[in-house]
Amino acid sequence: MIIGVPRETKPGERRVALLPAAVRELTHQDHDVQVETHAGRAIGLGDDAYRDMGATIVTARDAWDADLVVKVKEMQPGEELLAPRGCAVFAFHHLVHEPERARTLAARGLTAIAWEMMRDGRGHYPLLSPMSAMAGRMAIGVAAGLLGHPPTRVLVLGAGQAGLAAARAARTPASTVTVVARSEKSRDAARREAHADK
């Protein structure tokens, strides 16, 4: 299978869909991985890091000319024209509220595989969990910036990945953190975590 990794074009997006270690795994399974030149530059990964793992460094056009294109953000206007008919594009598509974009992809004969909709055997979203945890940690930093000091009384709504990460980040000897959970299961998870640190 030919797997293409184009450079992200959405303004402000610095990530790259595959790291060199993932490319090595794919090339060891006899897949042809084509990475657009400078795809990893924004996160400090040069073309040689990918080339050393077996990738071919290509132009944007060639990165899109693949059986499977792997990217981070949703396809930007005009990118659907770069992908050949029948190509599968694995990305954060966010198509739920974008019916026009969904119709455009369908009309081009593209298969959209959404990172955000992938579930594991337990029904969890493993590709969203790390970002949810990051957002929870960042929320406390944002609050501290707005207040001018770390918050001492924190109310966290929800005990999922983001909520528990926020509670962890807010917890200091000088703070009081209250977590409100929607279900008994998430409430119990929050309690277990709180008692684990004692």
Side-chain angles (χ1 to χ4, degrees):
M1 174 185 287
I2 299 173
I3 301 170
V5 183
R7 186 170 60 229
E8 297 296 322
T9 58
K10 185 169 185 173
E13 182 54 65
R14 300 169 53 89
R15 294 173 290 179
V16 61
L18 293 179
L19 295 175
V23 169
R24 180 185 60 228
E25 292 300 317
L26 292 167
T27 57
H28 281 173
Q29 295 176 31
D30 295 325
H31 297 295
D32 179 9
V33 182
Q34 300 182 156
V35 178
E36 182 180 347
T37 186
H38 306 309
R41 183 187 342 191
I43 59 169
L45 293 172
D47 291 345
D48 285 342
Y50 287 97
R51 196 177 285 114
D52 292 346
M53 295 299 147
T56 304
I57 305 303
V58 298
T59 64
R61 171 53 104 183
D62 289 336
W64 280 96
D65 190 16
D67 303 308
L68 172 66
V69 172
V70 185
K71 49 191 280 57
V72 178
K73 293 305 287 179
E74 68 276 4
M75 294 173 71
Q76 299 301 293
E79 286 184 333
E80 72 279 354
L81 301 175
L82 298 172
R85 184 167 291 280
C87 173
V89 181
F90 195 9
F92 284 106
H93 286 288
H94 308 294
L95 293 173
V96 172
H97 299 291
E98 296 284 346
E100 196 55 46
R101 196 152 41 89
R103 282 192 280 275
T104 299
L105 296 178
R108 288 283 304 159
L110 303 178
T111 299
I113 305 169
W115 294 85
E116 69 272 16
M117 300 305 290
M118 299 297 291
R119 291 188 186 204
D120 63 18
R122 297 172 299 162
H124 296 159
Y125 296 90
L127 300 175
L128 290 181
S129 293
M131 287 188 291
S132 296
M134 186 184 313
R137 288 190 302 271
M138 288 174 59
I140 302 305
V142 170
L146 292 171
L147 292 169
H149 58 81
T152 55
R153 294 180 67 208
V154 178
L155 173 63
V156 178
L157 301 177
Q161 293 287 335
L164 291 178
R168 269 185 237 110
R171 195 175 333 162
T172 69
S175 67
T176 301
V177 179
T178 303
V179 178
V180 177
R182 246 182 5 176
S183 69
E184 289 181 19
K185 182 179 176 183
S186 57
R187 177 203 63 200
D188 293 345
R191 283 183 178 160
R192 278 192 303 277
E193 181 158 327
H195 293 305
D197 290 341
K198 293 183 178 178

